[in-house]
Structure formats: structure tokens, C-alpha cells
Amino acid sequence: MNVITYSRNGDYLIPDIKLKEQPTQPLGKYGRMRKTYLQEHRKALFSHLLLSEKLQAHLLEIDQTASR
């Protein structure tokens, strides 16, 4: 079971959540187009990829595949 720790900030408890390391390569034309498509037409899939920290890897894969 995952244990979440908290930090006190005034009267509030803020969860200590850290994101995993994400690829830092810039997106090309097709990666940016895919991101726009997901945001406008596939909102649930976009949210799922974003929250599961797989969005950037997905967009890079699309960009590399389309650029071949």
C-alpha cells in the first residue's frame, strides 16, 4: 500500500507528491498536432494519459513514427 506523506503549510496539509522523470525532448509538428487533437476531441484519453504521466512519451512516439 502506498503511504502519502504531507507537509504543513500554515493551516493546510499539502501532499508530498512528485512526478516521475519525463522525457525532455521537444515535440515536433506531429506531436503537437496529436496533443491538440486529444485536447479538443478525445478529452478523456488526454486526461488519462496526462494523469498517468504517459502523455509526453505518447506524443514523442507519435512524432517519431510520423516523421519516418
Side-chain angles (χ1 to χ4, degrees), residues 10-45:
D11 291 337
Y12 301 100
L13 291 174
I14 309 295
D16 297 327
I17 299 175
K18 294 188 172 49
L19 296 175
K20 296 177 187 171
E21 192 67 33
Q22 297 290 316
T24 57
Q25 293 175 314
L27 290 176
K29 174 184 175 183
Y30 298 106
R32 292 190 309 268
M33 288 172 62
R34 175 69 173 170
K35 182 178 180 183
T36 302
Y37 170 76
L38 291 173
Q39 285 177 316
E40 293 177 0
H41 302 287
R42 302 290 305 269
K43 294 177 183 178
L45 179 58

Side-chain angles (χ1 to χ4, degrees), residues 32-62:
R32 292 190 309 268
M33 288 172 62
R34 175 69 173 170
K35 182 178 180 183
T36 302
Y37 170 76
L38 291 173
Q39 285 177 316
E40 293 177 0
H41 302 287
R42 302 290 305 269
K43 294 177 183 178
L45 179 58
F46 178 80
S47 295
H48 173 72
L49 289 171
L50 182 63
L51 294 174
S52 64
E53 300 179 3
K54 297 178 182 177
L55 179 64
Q56 188 68 17
H58 172 74
L59 296 175
L60 285 172
E61 180 183 352
I62 294 294

